[in-house]
Amino acid sequence: MLRFSKILSLTALLCSLPLAANEALETAVKNPLRTPEYLQRDQYRNPVATLAFFDVTPQSTVVEISPGGGWYTEIIAPLVAEKGMYYAAHFPANSSEYGQRSRKAFIEKMASQPQYSKVQVTEFSAAGGVTIAPANSADVVLTFRNLHNWYIGGGEDALVAAYKQFFTALKPGGVLGVVEHRLPESQLNTEWTRSGYMPQSMAVRLAEQAGFVFEGSSEINANAKDTANHPSGVWTLPPTLRLGEQDRAKYQAIGESDRMTLKFRKPIN
């Protein structure tokens, strides 16, 4: 049974960091160099509140797992460029054709603007065999909407293997931040495993199995309109809208998925 150690309100989390850190997050999100299309998703991804909840500051050494096209990179990399460090653990160089294209596009993006000059592009694979960052170096490891991919590819073992890599990279006392499409616990007896949604109880249990302490959850990225029961799974909803014009207005009205936002910590001892 899921053990909610604490549910933090938005007000509480915004008070959990020094004012200067919150102002720095606000400034990073307002960066005029962010991709215009990305700005439209701020209402669903809530980047200031989410990064504040995960204790990200301008001094942080941050590892982002599978940064894709760089949605969060555009915020975090400039934020920590002066006093911190940003590792982008992307697809391995020897991954699939899709992975290689995605990695190449990301590297080209990092070379396109001076604000990315200090970004360190590393590699991540749920199967292991790569290094996301030096051991015991990171203040924060972040993963956004990736758990379902690893689960679909390798089940619970893949998730535990991924969590263990994050554990290795983090300093003692460091934070693992997880955002993922949330499956209601009442739907565990359904055919959910390829829906793109994950049960929060599993996400917590497997992280604890890898050595993490579950510190708390937040409803920052919740969406009560999302039932997590759609014809094409989470991809039925925006931004994918896999059904095309079929019921498009209905799914746009729902918005992006209901998401769990989980905070774990690597024990100091």
Side-chain angles (χ1 to χ4, degrees):
M1 183 176 182
L2 179 61
R3 293 172 290 156
F4 291 97
S5 60
K6 53 186 173 180
I7 307 293
L8 300 183
S9 69
L10 180 59
T11 301
L13 75 90
L14 286 175
C15 293
S16 67
L17 287 178
L19 180 60
N22 289 319
E23 290 177 345
L25 288 171
E26 292 276 6
T27 299
V29 169
K30 294 176 182 177
N31 182 352
L33 296 178
R34 289 183 65 200
T35 303
E37 293 79 10
Y38 288 2
L39 299 175
Q40 298 173 14
R41 303 188 71 184
D42 285 1
Q43 62 181 309
Y44 302 114
R45 295 189 171 184
N46 306 294
V48 173
T50 299
L51 295 175
F53 182 65
F54 293 146
D55 296 348
V56 176
T57 75
Q59 294 77 34
S60 298
T61 294
V62 179
V63 181
E64 185 184 355
I65 306 300
S66 300
W71 195 95
Y72 259 107
T73 305
E74 291 188 357
I75 299 169
I76 300 171
L79 174 72
V80 303
E82 183 178 349
K83 299 179 180 179
M85 176 68 71
Y86 174 77
Y87 291 94
H90 218 288
F91 286 109
N94 63 349
S95 61
S96 67
E97 183 179 348
Y98 168 82
Q100 291 181 46
R101 288 200 310 270
S102 180
R103 179 184 174 89
K104 181 175 182 289
F106 183 84
I107 291 174
E108 289 174 351
K109 179 172 183 171
M110 294 303 96
S112 69
Q113 295 178 11
Q115 65 175 339
Y116 303 131
S117 62
K118 295 184 180 179
V119 171
Q120 298 292 311
V121 181
T122 59
E123 299 183 347
F124 168 77
S125 168
V130 295
T131 301
I132 63 173
N136 301 306
S137 67
D139 297 298
V140 185
V141 172
L142 300 172
T143 174
F144 299 101
R145 303 166 314 283
N146 289 312
L147 299 190
H148 64 278
N149 291 320
W150 307 330
Y151 183 82
I152 290 171
E156 293 191 10
D157 289 346
L159 263 69
V160 173
Y163 279 135
K164 286 183 176 178
Q165 293 179 64
F166 310 157
F167 192 92
T168 297
L170 282 166
K171 299 174 182 176
V175 169
L176 168 63
V178 176
V179 177
E180 179 57 282
H181 312 296
R182 177 166 50 189
L183 181 84
E185 299 292 323
S186 61
Q187 294 184 31
L188 281 170
N189 62 346
T190 66
E191 295 295 326
W192 64 268
T193 57
R194 301 188 69 83
S195 69
Y197 291 90
M198 291 289 299
Q200 187 163 323
S201 56
M202 178 184 291
V204 172
R205 173 173 57 83
L206 298 180
E208 291 178 332
Q209 186 175 325
F212 285 102
V213 174
F214 179 44
E215 189 161 290
S217 64
S218 173
E219 294 301 290
I220 301 165
N221 298 301
N223 179 0
K225 296 179 182 179
D226 180 18
T227 64
N229 182 17
H230 309 296
S232 292
V234 73
W235 303 281
T236 307
L237 300 177
T240 306
L241 293 167
R242 184 168 287 177
L243 298 184
E245 293 304 315
Q246 179 182 337
D247 295 324
R248 187 182 186 91
K250 169 186 173 181
Y251 296 121
Q252 286 180 320
I254 293 172
E256 295 193 17
S257 66
D258 176 53
R259 292 164 186 166
M260 56 179 128
T261 303
L262 310 177
K263 184 178 183 179
F264 302 91
R265 198 171 294 274
K266 178 176 178 175
I268 293 176
N269 296 318

